Structures are given as C-alpha cells and as structure tokens.
Amino acid sequence: MEEGPYKYIRDGNGKVSRVIRVGTRKSQLARIQTDSVAEKLKELYPDIHLEIVAMSTIGDKILDTALSKIGEKSLFTKELENALERNEVDLVVHSLKDLPTTLPPGFTIGAVLKRENPHDAVVLHPSNAGKTLDTLPENSVIGTSSLRRAAQLKKRFPHLDFKDIRGNLNTRLKKLDEKNDFAAIILAAAGLRRMGWESRISQILEPEDCMYAVGQGALAVEVRARDADILEMVSILHDPDTVLRCIAERAFLRRLEGGCSVPVAVHTQVKDSQLYLTGAVYSLDGSNSLKETMQVSIAAGAQSSEKVDEQVQRVGVTANKIPDAVQDEAEKLGVNLADLLLSKGAKEILTVARQLNDAR
C-alpha cells in the first residue's frame, strides 16, 4: 500500500506497519554496516518493517583510478542521495568518512553511531608474518589509496615505498594475498573488524605513527531533512561522544577546505568532560607538516534544559537530543584549530599538495 510518500505493509493478522526503506552500497562491508543499523532499529522499533535497497555508486564503478584523482567529493554517496531525493529510500547508511562536510540541500545526518576503533591497521602479506612496518625490509611496497596515510607513513617509515591500491576490502586483500606486488597494505581497522577479519590485523597504527581520517570508524545515517518522523526515529542511535568528536573533526576539515584530495588527519578524545582535538596537514611526501592540539569543555551543566532547535545542522549533522551549546563548542573547536593551522601556513601546504596530486 502506498499512501503519500510512504509505503505500508499488512501482515497476516491484518496489522499494518510502515515500510522503512534503507539504501546501501552493494559492497559486502556496506551491507554488513547497513544490516547492523537495521538490526538496532528493529530492536528499538519492533513494529516497523525494514527493506534494504542496495545500489552501486561511482566510487564502486571506477576502480582503476586513485580516489584523490577522480576529484568528486561524493563518490560513494551521490547515487544513494539521488534515491533519497526521489523517495525511493527513507534513510541511507554510510561510513561517515565518505560523507562530504557540506551535504546537498535537503539532506542531513540524523544519527552518528558509536564509533568503532578509528585507527588504521597494517595487514601483512602472508610471507611477512610477524613483521611490523619498522622491521619490513628496505623498499618494501606498501599499498594505500589514501594521501593522508601515505604522507604520514612516508615521513615516519622512510625505508618503505608507497603505491596506490584501489577496490573494496575484499579486492584489496585478494590483491595483497594472491600477488607479490605488496609487502603490506593499510586499511581502516573498523572495516576489518566489521567484516570479521580482525585476525588479519598485524599492527594498529597509533596516532604518533598515523592519525586517522575525519569521521573514520563511525557510521552515519543520512535522511531527508524535512522528514521529522524519520529524523526522530533514527536520532535515538546517536552516540553523544562520537557526535561531538565528529562535529569537531568535520568542522576542522570544512574550514581547511580539505577533501579526499589533500592529506588532513585528526585525533579526538573525550576525557573528564573535555573534548580534545588534534589536527594536522601534510605535504604529499610528509616532509612538511603542521600539527596542533586544542581542547574545550563539553560539560552540559545548566545548559541542557534549553530548547533544542529542531532544524539546526552542524557540518551536516542534526542531533536534537544533544544540548545546542555543547555542539556549538565542538564545532567552534574544529574551526579554531583550523584557523590556528591556517595562520601558520596550512593553506600553502594544502594548495601545493593539491596541485602536485592533480599533476600526478
């Protein structure tokens, strides 16, 4: 049954429930991530009926070009957003790090779920079992399609060579294991853990070796901004600490105007009601970098009773259940840290990185 933009279903007992259609990319990891969100919603709202709609995106189709060269900010999200716009789906599950810091009008991130380990992981070729990046032989080739990872690791491990590797997780692991092109590859720990491939992680890179990407390890639910009922439904999935960390990270990136095509890295922490943000920018070879840390108090205190304005978005995120004042602090923290780096010459480093990358 269709009624207005909504779809309903009647079960054998004549009970009617609304069908919520969930959009996802077709990759195995995307499906696992989407299923995990769908299961949480089903537990919280036993009466809704969820339907999963899988589709391919530009990023899934162009597999022979480095992501940073394609030059499109919404590689993995455009087709899903089109479906959302056409009312073919009601919500879409993304890796937050795939979502641009400015969303197209009419969309918002209605939930940011509790973050999985946000760090990067080293996955070794079976012949290198037991080694670390430090102990791999001179000129070993490391596969990564991320300028951010390559820039940090080139500086930290100058004896290694870094080459592009594309494809989804399954494809990359296959390329690593079945050929001898790579001694190791670098992947997000979160994805490996969600796929159940934790045993392949031989080393987790700590922030001093490699800081992570903005939003890495967190899942986001994107909805139509005008869909108050869906927004309300998914808002229960928000994890407050993750939301604040990711608002700060996204505000930092947006202020720097960074995207896939520049090496920008972050590290955040919530400790004793303080939100800490470390942010850095790098030249492509990592030889030139700027890195600073700032913190802000996020104790809600007396502010939490204030009315939250439903429609406020911060760097694409709508979090009605978290006090406005605290979200503002998180956003300001990101902007202020970016401004500090910009005052020290971050713009120049990123402009050169962008030009060099475009010329590759």
Side-chain angles (χ1 to χ4, degrees), residues 60-355:
D60 295 314
K61 291 170 187 155
I62 309 179
L63 290 176
D64 51 356
T65 313
L67 288 182
S68 59
K69 298 288 282 176
I70 303 172
E72 161 67 71
K73 267 227 175 83
S74 46
L75 280 177
F76 295 113
T77 57
K78 196 136 194 61
E79 279 86 347
L80 299 168
E81 282 172 345
N82 289 346
L84 203 49
E85 190 160 28
R86 291 192 300 260
N87 266 337
E88 290 164 12
V89 298
D90 302 299
L91 54 104
V92 176
V93 178
H94 300 280
S95 293
L96 181 57
K97 75 170 176 171
D98 290 340
L99 276 173
T101 51
T102 306
L103 298 184
F107 300 107
T108 191
I109 296 164
V112 179
L113 285 80
K114 189 169 174 53
R115 197 172 208 166
E116 173 58 91
N117 181 331
H119 297 281
D120 288 318
V122 179
V123 179
L124 294 169
H125 186 281
S127 66
N128 291 316
K131 293 196 170 69
T132 63
L133 291 184
D134 264 322
T135 60
L136 280 172
E138 192 84 20
N139 301 332
S140 293
V141 177
I142 312 298
T144 172
S145 54
S146 152
L147 299 177
R148 171 189 58 81
R149 291 174 184 147
Q152 294 180 80
L153 297 172
K154 280 175 184 169
K155 188 173 162 68
R156 175 74 183 73
F157 304 99
H159 67 293
L160 303 173
D161 283 343
F162 292 86
K163 289 205 165 56
D164 267 335
I165 183 167
R166 279 289 321 278
N168 58 38
L169 275 183
N170 310 50
T171 318
R172 289 189 208 190
L173 279 175
K174 221 177 149 110
K175 283 182 185 171
L176 171 69
D177 291 345
E178 293 177 8
K179 297 196 178 128
N180 283 317
D181 298 354
F182 299 102
I185 58 177
I186 314 292
L187 298 165
L192 289 162
R193 288 169 73 153
R194 289 190 186 114
M195 292 284 271
W197 293 340
E198 209 160 347
S199 61
R200 289 303 308 263
I201 298 177
S202 41
Q203 183 183 0
I204 296 268
L205 295 170
E206 294 304 321
E208 41 283 357
D209 289 335
C210 191
M211 296 203 305
Y212 41 84
V214 166
Q216 185 161 318
L219 294 183
V221 180
E222 189 179 18
V223 300
R224 290 179 288 269
R226 63 172 191 278
D227 256 354
D229 52 346
I230 297 265
L231 201 50
E232 175 63 28
M233 183 183 89
V234 300
S235 68
I236 196 167
L237 300 172
H238 267 311
D239 174 66
D241 280 3
T242 305
V243 172
L244 295 174
R245 289 170 64 185
C246 291
I247 284 177
E249 293 173 18
R250 286 170 64 82
F252 172 72
L253 182 63
R254 178 151 90 183
R255 186 67 156 203
L256 288 174
E257 289 174 24
C260 250
S261 53
V262 289
V264 173
V266 293
H267 174 69
T268 47
Q269 204 180 1
V270 172
K271 205 170 150 200
D272 306 327
S273 300
Q274 296 281 318
L275 172 60
Y276 296 85
L277 170 64
T278 301
V281 301
Y282 303 88
S283 59
L284 289 189
D285 64 359
S287 60
N288 201 355
S289 66
L290 287 166
K291 178 169 152 186
E292 295 288 346
T293 304
M294 290 174 93
Q295 71 192 80
V296 71
S297 165
I298 51 163
Q303 303 144 349
S304 38
S305 60
E306 72 179 71
K307 173 159 175 13
V308 175
D309 173 8
E310 297 284 312
Q311 284 316 316
V312 175
Q313 269 198 46
R314 287 172 190 78
V315 280
V317 180
T318 303
N320 304 340
K321 309 246 185 319
I322 298 171
D324 267 11
V326 181
Q327 293 186 60
D328 285 340
E329 288 300 329
E331 186 174 22
K332 271 193 288 213
L333 176 65
V335 171
N336 291 343
L337 185 65
D339 283 342
L340 177 60
L341 291 187
L342 288 166
S343 73
K344 292 174 180 260
K347 197 78 172 165
E348 293 67 28
I349 293 178
L350 292 178
T351 302
V352 171
R354 205 175 265 122
Q355 288 166 344

Side-chain angles (χ1 to χ4, degrees), residues 11-27:
D11 69 13
N13 306 321
K15 187 162 159 287
V16 172
S17 51
R18 176 162 169 199
V19 177
I20 307 284
R21 295 151 308 169
V22 185
T24 176
R25 286 167 61 191
K26 280 186 172 154
S27 78

